[in-house]
Amino acid sequence: MVARNGFSRNCTSNSVCRCSPIGNMRKLYTANCSNLGITQVPITRPDVVILLLQHNNITSLTTSFSPSLYKLDLSYNKIQNFSDGAFANLTRLKTLILEGNNLDLDESVYRSRVFRELKALRELNIKNCTSNGIHKFPQRIWRYLSSIQILRIDIVSPSQFGRPFRFLTSLRELDVSGVTGFCSIGAMTKSFLVNMPHLEIIDVSACKVTSFSNDAFITQRNLTILNISYNERLTFAGFENLSRSLQFSKIKVLKANKIHCTFGIGTMLQVSDIIHFKNTSLEELFLENNRLALVEMNVIKFFPPSLKTISFVKNRLTIGLYLLEINFFLSLEKVDASFQYISPPFVEIMDAFYCQNPVRMCKNTMDEFSLKFEKMSKNFSIQHFDPKISLPRNLRKVILRRNGFTTSILGTRFHPDNNITYLDMSQNPITSFTGPLQGLNQLKYWDLSECHCPSLTKFFFDYTKALRVLKLNKNFLGKSLENDTDGETFKNLVHLEELDLSDNQIQNLPVKIFKNLRNIHRIKLKSNFLTEWNVNVHHMWNLTEIDLSGNLLRQLNGKAMISFSELFKRKTSMTISLAYNPFACTCESKQFIQWSFQNRKYISDFQNITCTLDNGTSIELQSAVGFLDVYCTNYQLVTFLVSSLIIFFVVITITGLVYRYRWKLRYIYYMTRNKYRLSSPLQRDTFTFDAFISYAEEDGDFAVNESIAQLENLRGLQLCLSKRDFRPGTEIAANITEAITKSRKTIIVLSDNFLNSYWCMFEFNMARMESIYTRSGKDVLFLIMYRHVSTKTLPLSMLALVESRSYIEYPDDPQGNIVFWDKIAETCSRPL
């Protein structure tokens, strides 16, 4: 749908363009027509002030632009030419970008009046537009650009900045970098920039600069930022003239990265290279990727006292005596010496074939350092030698990340007057965090991550009490922390606010490991091997985040849930991360899953948490709550019934076995209690009594009177009778088992009265057990059928004796009685 004014619902005549308000102001818009393959410039509404047309197929500028535009980006199209009136209406335009077109820097393209109406233009970018068709560099267009402040342009001739550039009195930044365009300068002299004396920022990086004259920047009195990086033929040999020409400028930032070839012998920074920098106000110096290996003695003394930041990233620095001079960096606040001895990327391998710097003539530096060190040692007295390392007093930030040599952090003493607050030692192959590091009393941020260190002593952090942030992630400190049961490792870090122990192969953390971290805000323990959480956190009043994601937790135990619940009540902003743990969807974990659902507003990644059923299926935690309510109710009922049946059958079985072996058990009990098995008369082949008479009370006259008369008095046997020989005050059962054990035979006076007597049957069964288990199966029992007893009333064990005829009947006649008693006496007598 197209409105009456010819515009689409967007803000241009082309419906594919995207329009968006600028900031919160909905009165002004940006029209983004980039990367759409359009061939013509669309018409814009008056409220469009930014028009983006980069990366299209526009070949000519035939449409008049809206006068309301203050930024126009036509970069990377196919524009080859434009008429003098192409920008006629753009009187408010501040930024014009023509980079990456086919617009040669030639008078035939940039005719004298093409920019005449751009009176408000502040930035012009015509880089990366040069081809081989240049005949004459345009000079007359610059008289109309007196308001321009930023110029980005290619260098087609070292002398192209002629007298017309004197009209650019507002020009403050010149970008001729070969990184984004074409630049070839060679030897840079005063004439190159003489017509632009007001510059503050100059970028001549990747411009194939080979040298500087000693007055190259002498006219640039306002220069504050200079970038000479990626001029690989320059080397530090060009620094002497450079520093000489900058000593009267306002230089604050110098970038001299990669001014040496990638490959070759390590180079050395000499006093002559930087001697004139002492006369500047330089604050930031970047010497990255320069194969810098050594620094000559006294070099540091000639750096300007105003220097605050210095970067030696991607060099090959070695330890030397120059380190003893670092105190001369009076204002130094930041040092970055990362990536030492790191192999260059593969894409730079071709540098080895076409880029070679000459070797600088200098003394054998190692020999020189050795001699100087020996001389200095002689001047030191052992008694007055202080092993403390002194650091620049204003130094606050030190970055030593990813250096390519393996080391251990051993005990080191720094002079306590330093002010280092930030120390990054990450990505270094460190074999041990031994320490301690003394004197770093102001250190607040310490990054020791990705060092793959397997060892951490309990006293390593004893002298860094001011720490606020400690990063130890991606090490192998699990064993060291597991062994710290008393919480000694972090005991002094009472001000610590953030602790990162992620990726440390931690399987278990002691309860007291964080006992003194009262001010901690964030604890990160993700991607470890934790199977449970028992750490004490009740004292962490300021804790707002704890990350336990990516561990091996199947659930949180009751103590942990109570502990976290108390934290949630105290700190409503508290969050916990639990995703990517193998939580179980079982009835045992039901309480944890319900707790998680109830506290889901405190679990930052609750929507990403799943749990696994017994069959291996994963479901979201929210769905698991309802599922387990139903499943576990039925499961508990089934479990109760099955358990009840199992208990019932176990009880029945045990009861049956106890009943089946009741006499054996009772016999063993009494024998054990009386301790007669250890001194059995059978083993000594002697017994106290020849026979123990077991009878019912009703048969006492026969059993006692006649037995004594016939067996003891007439036949000389020694009988054991309950009324006569049992010990008073001793249990009946104990007396019975003792009598049976001390008697060679047990005579059963069998009658119905005997069968109806509990103690008589007890005596019979005890004697039977004695025969089986103590006397190795020898017959102990002797049955007298005193009164006729029906076999139907006899117990099975007694019936077996009767049926085997192991008994004698009482004849009750004078002649038969003599044979009867002789038979008994013969059976009970001691064998010859």
Side-chain angles (χ1 to χ4, degrees):
M1 178 178 179
V2 179
R4 292 180 181 179
N5 57 7
F7 294 106
S8 67
R9 290 179 179 177
N10 296 316
C11 54
T12 72
S13 59
N14 193 324
S15 60
V16 297
C17 295
R18 301 171 297 277
C19 297
S20 58
I22 298 176
N24 296 325
M25 299 291 294
R26 294 193 174 272
K27 295 181 180 180
L28 302 176
Y29 289 85
T30 295
N32 189 347
C33 305
S34 57
N35 295 286
L36 297 176
I38 61 177
T39 58
Q40 292 185 348
V41 176
I43 302 173
T44 58
R45 291 191 320 218
D47 54 0
V48 174
V49 295
I50 299 177
L51 178 57
L52 307 178
L53 292 163
Q54 63 266 35
H55 296 282
N56 281 298
N57 297 319
I58 300 172
T59 58
S60 61
L61 302 179
T62 58
T63 305
S64 297
F65 295 97
S66 170
S68 60
L69 292 178
Y70 65 72
K71 180 176 180 179
L72 175 60
D73 189 345
L74 289 163
S75 59
Y76 296 97
N77 278 273
K78 299 179 181 179
I79 305 171
Q80 298 181 9
N81 210 328
F82 31 65
S83 61
D84 289 344
F87 307 109
N89 295 329
L90 298 178
T91 55
R92 300 180 183 177
L93 191 68
K94 295 182 179 180
T95 302
L96 176 59
I97 305 175
L98 296 170
E99 179 182 2
N101 282 282
N102 299 326
L103 297 166
D104 292 336
L105 282 173
D106 191 87
E107 284 190 347
S108 62
V109 176
Y110 293 92
R111 290 181 288 276
S112 60
R113 299 180 177 227
V114 66
F115 296 142
R116 184 177 59 179
E117 305 299 329
L118 302 180
K119 301 185 182 299
L121 194 64
R122 298 291 183 268
E123 178 179 354
L124 175 62
N125 186 344
I126 51 176
K127 290 179 69 67
N128 203 19
C129 295
T130 303
S131 67
N132 295 326
I134 301 172
H135 299 287
K136 187 175 182 180
F137 183 81
Q139 297 287 348
R140 290 179 290 179
I141 59 172
W142 308 109
R143 68 178 65 189
Y144 301 109
L145 298 175
S146 58
S147 61
I148 195 170
Q149 297 176 356
I150 303 173
L151 176 60
R152 307 187 191 280
I153 189 172
D154 292 332
I155 296 295
V156 295
S157 170
S159 60
Q160 69 186 38
F161 299 130
R163 294 187 62 84
F165 278 86
R166 292 182 178 271
F167 291 105
L168 306 184
T169 55
S170 300
L171 187 62
R172 296 296 180 264
E173 179 177 348
L174 176 65
D175 176 6
V176 295
S177 172
V179 176
T180 55
F182 175 79
C183 182
S184 180
I185 297 176
M188 189 169 176
T189 63
K190 174 182 176 182
S191 62
F192 183 74
L193 298 171
V194 68
N195 294 311
M196 294 179 286
H198 306 292
L199 290 174
E200 297 175 2
I201 302 173
I202 299 176
D203 187 350
V204 291
S205 59
C207 281
K208 302 178 182 179
V209 178
T210 57
S211 64
F212 295 104
S213 64
N214 57 14
D215 59 355
F217 297 98
I218 198 168
T219 58
Q220 307 303 315
R221 299 299 179 95
N222 296 317
L223 182 61
T224 57
I225 300 176
L226 175 61
N227 189 351
I228 61 170
S229 303
Y230 305 105
N231 292 295
E232 299 174 4
R233 306 286 184 179
L234 184 60
T235 75
F236 287 128
F239 259 44
E240 181 174 0
N241 282 344
L242 175 68
S243 60
R244 189 188 298 273
S245 65
L246 288 174
Q247 60 183 329
F248 303 111
S249 68
K250 298 178 181 178
I251 188 71
K252 300 294 183 183
V253 180
L254 175 60
K255 296 181 179 181
N257 303 325
K258 206 174 188 306
I259 59 172
H260 279 262
C261 299
T262 301
F263 298 91
I265 300 175
T267 190
M268 180 180 183
L269 190 63
Q270 298 178 348
V271 172
S272 58
D273 299 333
I274 54 92
I275 190 170
H276 299 293
F277 279 122
K278 189 175 181 66
N279 299 324
T280 69
S281 299
L282 189 66
E283 296 181 358
E284 298 180 29
L285 177 61
F286 297 86
L287 301 175
E288 301 174 4
N289 202 6
N290 279 311
R291 294 202 336 264
L292 183 60
L294 293 169
V295 177
E296 189 180 21
M297 288 293 291
N298 298 319
V299 162
I300 295 177
K301 296 179 181 179
F302 287 95
F303 276 109
S306 57
L307 193 64
K308 296 180 179 179
T309 299
I310 187 166
S311 176
F312 295 109
V313 172
K314 293 183 180 180
N315 281 290
R316 306 180 64 83
L317 283 173
T318 58
I319 296 175
L321 291 180
Y322 66 92
L323 292 175
L324 300 176
E325 300 177 345
I326 56 177
N327 277 335
F328 288 95
F329 285 121
L330 300 179
S331 301
L332 192 65
E333 298 177 359
K334 176 183 176 181
V335 173
D336 191 346
S338 304
F339 297 93
Q340 304 298 312
Y341 291 92
I342 297 298
S343 299
F346 182 77
V347 294
E348 296 183 12
I349 195 68
M350 294 303 296
D351 287 4
F353 297 98
Y354 71 85
C355 184
Q356 292 291 331
N357 300 135
V359 178
R360 302 187 71 180
M361 298 301 295
C362 60
K363 298 179 181 178
N364 187 320
T365 54
M366 295 305 298
D367 291 343
E368 182 183 4
F369 286 167
S370 298
L371 291 173
K372 287 188 177 182
F373 184 76
E374 183 180 355
K375 183 178 179 181
M376 292 172 64
S377 299
K378 292 179 179 179
N379 295 330
F380 277 116
S381 172
I382 297 296
Q383 290 79 5
H384 298 92
F385 180 67
D386 187 356
K388 297 178 184 177
I389 298 175
S390 296
L391 298 171
R393 183 166 297 182
N394 291 313
L395 184 61
R396 286 173 172 79
K397 190 170 186 178
V398 178
I399 304 175
L400 302 171
R401 188 188 323 142
R402 195 181 175 186
N403 291 305
F405 45 84
T406 303
T407 186
S408 296
I409 302 180
L410 303 177
T412 308
R413 296 179 64 191
F414 296 94
H415 201 283
D417 65 352
N418 71 84
N419 287 290
I420 293 180
T421 59
Y422 184 104
L423 180 57
D424 185 349
M425 302 174 67
S426 61
Q427 302 180 45
N428 288 296
I430 297 176
T431 57
S432 174
F433 297 142
T434 303
L437 271 62
Q438 301 182 45
L440 300 179
N441 301 327
Q442 306 300 321
L443 187 62
K444 293 180 173 58
Y445 181 100
W446 197 355
D447 191 345
L448 291 166
S449 62
E450 299 185 57
C451 293
H452 306 291
C453 180
S455 175
L456 172 64
T457 63
K458 296 178 182 179
F459 48 81
F460 186 72
F461 299 110
D462 280 2
Y463 297 93
T464 52
K465 299 179 181 180
L467 270 178
R468 299 295 192 274
V469 178
L470 176 59
K471 293 183 177 293
L472 289 167
N473 51 298
K474 293 188 178 180
N475 284 289
F476 303 117
L477 303 178
K479 290 297 181 183
S480 296
L481 296 176
E482 289 172 22
N483 295 331
D484 185 13
T485 56
D486 295 326
E488 296 295 310
T489 304
F490 307 114
K491 66 179 182 297
N492 289 328
L493 305 185
V494 295
H495 300 292
L496 195 66
E497 297 177 359
E498 179 177 336
L499 175 61
D500 193 344
L501 289 169
S502 304
D503 292 287
N504 264 288
Q505 298 185 357
I506 302 172
Q507 299 181 18
N508 179 51
L509 282 175
V511 175
K512 299 179 181 179
I513 189 66
F514 303 139
K515 66 179 182 181
N516 285 348
L517 303 187
R518 295 185 294 271
N519 290 307
I520 195 72
H521 292 180
R522 289 173 294 278
I523 299 177
K524 298 180 181 180
L525 285 159
K526 67 179 180 180
S527 302
N528 280 295
F529 302 145
L530 290 170
T531 56
E532 59 180 351
W533 179 258
N534 296 313
V535 179
N536 191 356
V537 296
H538 73 274
H539 58 290
M540 300 179 181
W541 288 86
N542 296 313
L543 188 64
T544 59
E545 177 187 348
I546 183 166
D547 191 347
L548 295 174
S549 61
N551 278 276
L552 300 178
L553 298 170
R554 292 183 61 81
Q555 63 176 325
L556 293 180
N557 57 43
K559 185 178 179 181
M561 289 187 284
I562 294 173
S563 180
F564 285 132
S565 296
E566 291 176 353
L567 286 176
F568 296 155
K569 292 177 182 179
R570 294 201 310 244
K571 198 85 172 177
T572 56
S573 59
M574 165 75 182
T575 62
I576 182 173
S577 299
L578 294 171
Y580 310 111
N581 278 286
F583 293 124
C585 291
T586 62
C587 295
E588 290 77 11
S589 62
K590 178 182 175 183
Q591 182 182 4
F592 160 69
I593 293 175
Q594 289 177 334
W595 175 87
S596 300
F597 182 75
Q598 294 167 359
N599 294 281
R600 59 189 180 277
K601 69 177 181 179
Y602 301 108
I603 302 176
S604 60
D605 48 7
F606 180 79
Q607 300 300 326
N608 297 324
I609 302 178
T610 60
C611 61
T612 305
L613 300 173
D614 291 335
N615 61 7
T617 304
S618 294
I619 59 175
E620 294 181 354
L621 216 61
Q622 186 170 351
S623 304
V625 176
F627 171 79
L628 291 179
D629 282 340
V630 177
Y631 174 76
C632 292
T633 302
N634 298 332
Y635 177 78
Q636 290 170 355
L637 178 60
V638 172
T639 302
F640 173 76
L641 294 174
V642 172
S643 300
S644 299
L645 288 174
I646 292 173
I647 293 172
F648 174 75
F649 283 116
V650 170
V651 170
I652 293 297
T653 301
I654 293 175
T655 303
L657 291 172
V658 170
Y659 181 78
R660 172 69 176 82
Y661 297 101
R662 65 191 182 282
W663 294 113
K664 178 181 178 181
L665 294 171
R666 294 177 74 175
Y667 172 77
I668 293 172
Y669 167 73
Y670 287 111
M671 290 298 292
T672 303
R673 183 175 176 182
N674 292 334
K675 301 180 181 178
Y676 285 116
R677 294 188 66 187
L678 297 176
S679 57
S680 174
L682 184 63
Q683 297 173 356
R684 305 190 308 269
D685 198 28
T686 60
F687 291 94
T688 305
F689 304 102
D690 292 305
F692 166 60
I693 309 299
S694 176
Y695 61 92
E697 190 69 30
E698 293 81 359
D699 304 325
D701 289 340
F702 165 77
V704 176
N705 297 332
E706 289 195 36
S707 295
I708 293 174
Q710 294 293 332
L711 296 176
E712 281 193 344
N713 296 338
L714 294 178
R715 291 171 176 81
L717 298 181
Q718 182 66 42
L719 302 178
C720 179
L721 297 165
S722 58
K723 287 187 176 182
R724 184 187 68 184
D725 298 307
F726 278 14
R727 290 184 297 169
T730 304
E731 290 184 49
I732 296 175
N735 271 316
I736 291 171
T737 54
E738 183 178 355
I740 291 171
T741 304
K742 291 183 176 182
S743 302
R744 185 175 288 104
K745 293 288 184 180
T746 297
I747 298 175
I748 302 298
V749 182
L750 187 60
S751 66
D752 287 331
N753 294 323
F754 185 94
L755 296 176
N756 293 326
S757 171
Y758 170 81
W759 288 113
C760 287
M761 291 305 297
F762 180 83
E763 290 168 349
F764 167 76
N765 282 291
M766 289 298 104
R768 190 166 60 88
M769 294 299 108
E770 173 78 9
S771 174
I772 296 171
Y773 296 106
T774 302
R775 311 254 181 122
S776 302
K778 293 183 179 181
D779 193 8
V780 174
L781 286 166
F782 187 83
L783 267 65
I784 297 176
M785 190 71 74
Y786 177 62
R787 295 281 185 266
H788 180 73
V789 178
S790 172
T791 56
K792 294 181 180 180
T793 61
L794 292 175
L796 292 176
S797 56
M798 190 175 290
L799 181 61
L801 291 174
V802 173
E803 289 180 346
S804 64
R805 299 186 180 273
S806 298
Y807 70 95
I808 185 171
E809 292 186 11
Y810 179 60
D812 198 15
D813 66 78
Q815 186 63 34
N817 286 350
I818 295 173
V819 176
F820 171 79
W821 292 114
D822 287 341
K823 184 66 175 176
I824 294 175
E826 180 185 351
T827 303
C828 297
S829 298
R830 180 182 302 173
L832 297 177

